[in-house]
Amino acid sequence: MTTTQRLLNLAAAAPARHDEDLVLLLSEASELYQQGFEVLRDTVAARFAGLPTPDLVEAATAAGMPCDAYQDRAELLLLLALAEWEMTPAALAYTEMAEDAARRGVCLIPEE
């Protein structure tokens, strides 16, 4: 099963979960979200490997990510990857799942 398939399955199961069960589901989904993003970040870095930094700034701006010419290459690649990742079915499913959980009072960030 791919990361996307698993995230979609977790998102589909989330509405029926509550309290600690939902926290566990959200925790697994968060780990998968991070894994998926890391894979895409590496792909984006390879795709833009030969592009000069000013062109990266232009690409990030075109992708709707605020940036400037003073940002280093790694930051620009991260922005490009994030712009692409946020539109994937996996990221969209996770975002919806996390927002729904938050509306029900469940969050992975511990309260102080």
Side-chain angles (χ1 to χ4, degrees), residues 3 32-42 77-83 85-86:
T3 299
L32 291 169
Y33 178 97
Q34 296 302 321
Q35 289 171 13
F37 178 69
E38 289 300 318
V39 169
L40 182 63
R41 189 179 70 163
D42 292 344
L77 290 169
L78 184 67
L79 289 172
L80 286 166
L82 185 59
W85 175 247
E86 287 180 337

Side-chain angles (χ1 to χ4, degrees), residues 15-96:
R17 301 291 177 89
H18 303 283
D19 303 320
E20 189 60 33
D21 284 342
L22 183 55
V23 171
L24 292 172
L25 202 80
L26 194 56
S27 180
E28 181 182 350
S30 177
E31 288 179 31
L32 291 169
Y33 178 97
Q34 296 302 321
Q35 289 171 13
F37 178 69
E38 289 300 318
V39 169
L40 182 63
R41 189 179 70 163
D42 292 344
T43 301
V44 167
R47 185 183 322 140
F48 290 101
L51 205 60
T53 301
D55 291 347
L56 288 176
V57 171
E58 187 176 317
T61 301
M65 299 304 280
C67 64
D68 59 51
Y70 301 105
Q71 289 179 282
D72 69 26
R73 185 171 189 80
E75 289 175 314
L76 295 167
L77 290 169
L78 184 67
L79 289 172
L80 286 166
L82 185 59
E84 189 172 329
W85 175 247
E86 287 180 337
M87 294 292 121
T88 65
L92 292 168
Y94 175 76
T95 298
E96 179 60 35

